[in-house]
Each structure stands twice: as C-alpha cells, then as structure tokens.
Amino acid sequence: MDKPWHLYVMALLYIIAGINHFRKPELYLKIIPPFITNKKFVSEFSGVIEILLGIYLCIPIFSSLAARSIMIVLVLIFPANIYMVVNKEASLGLPKWILYLRLPLQFLLIFWAYQYSNLNF
C-alpha cells in the first residue's frame, strides 16, 4: 500500500458503484438516456468497467492508467446526469437541487482521478 489512503477510498467507491449495477440494475437502466441502445448491456458493461478500474487503481503499475480511464468514463456517463435533470422518470425521485449538484460533482470526481493520472496539463 504505497499509494495515499484517498486513492484506496476512490477505488472502493468505484468497486461499490460497479457492484451496484448488478445489485440494483433498475436504477441504472432508468438513468440511461434513450439515445443509447441495449441499455442492459451498457449498464452491466459500465459496472464491470467500474469494478475493474477500482481494482486497477490499487495496483501501482496500473493506477495511473486506471485513473485516466476513470476520467474518460466520467465524461462518457455525464449525459446520464443531464438526463436525470431533464427527465422526471430518470430523476429517481431525487430533489432537483441534488440533481443539479451532481453535475459539478462529476467534474470534482474527474479532478480527483486526475490527481493520480500522472498527466501534466
């Protein structure tokens, strides 16, 4: 465990989020925008990706690549956050203010992953 503790917190969050795709698939299916076909496959695939990336964050040789990949995944799933704001059925009954709060939170998650990406912008 030569990485900072907060990297392992991030890894655990992604592993738990990935597992949730299989524990509560109906939640994820509701938030996938209609322009995406084969929602079940997309949800399960993204769940597997989140689990794998969480695991790879903990492996020093892969942690930088995993962090970069998480940044990409967060950009790719951003339309689901927007869809939750504009579609009542996709909102999962959450208050609007929480849905709006999720939008900038996505950028904070990207920045968090950036901290471990070894990218220099």
Side-chain angles (χ1 to χ4, degrees), residues 23-40:
R23 287 185 61 236
K24 301 193 179 216
E26 65 281 354
L27 297 178
Y28 294 91
L29 294 173
K30 284 182 183 178
I31 68 171
I32 297 174
F35 64 85
I36 300 202
T37 59
N38 202 348
K39 292 182 180 194
K40 184 175 187 232

Side-chain angles (χ1 to χ4, degrees), residues 3-60:
K3 298 287 185 179
W5 64 269
H6 31 84
L7 175 91
Y8 297 105
V9 170
M10 181 195 303
L12 183 61
L13 290 175
Y14 283 100
I15 292 168
I16 291 170
I19 291 170
N20 257 357
H21 281 260
F22 299 96
R23 287 185 61 236
K24 301 193 179 216
E26 65 281 354
L27 297 178
Y28 294 91
L29 294 173
K30 284 182 183 178
I31 68 171
I32 297 174
F35 64 85
I36 300 202
T37 59
N38 202 348
K39 292 182 180 194
K40 184 175 187 232
F41 171 78
V42 170
S43 177
E44 290 175 354
F45 181 74
S46 60
V48 168
I49 294 297
E50 287 175 350
I51 293 167
L52 290 175
L53 291 176
I55 292 168
Y56 286 138
L57 276 174
C58 299
I59 303 170

Side-chain angles (χ1 to χ4, degrees), residues 39-113:
K39 292 182 180 194
K40 184 175 187 232
F41 171 78
V42 170
S43 177
E44 290 175 354
F45 181 74
S46 60
V48 168
I49 294 297
E50 287 175 350
I51 293 167
L52 290 175
L53 291 176
I55 292 168
Y56 286 138
L57 276 174
C58 299
I59 303 170
I61 195 168
F62 295 118
S63 61
S64 176
L65 179 60
R68 293 174 192 186
S69 300
I70 286 171
M71 293 167 63
I72 293 168
V73 167
L74 289 168
V75 169
L76 291 175
I77 65 170
F78 193 71
N81 290 343
I82 295 170
Y83 184 59
M84 289 178 74
V85 171
V86 299
N87 185 293
K88 187 166 178 68
E89 289 95 37
S91 73
L92 304 176
L94 296 170
K96 279 281 190 195
W97 68 269
I98 290 178
L99 297 172
Y100 280 110
L101 185 63
R102 285 174 50 95
L103 299 176
L105 177 63
Q106 199 85 356
F107 295 104
L108 289 173
L109 292 172
I110 291 169
F111 181 72
W112 189 11

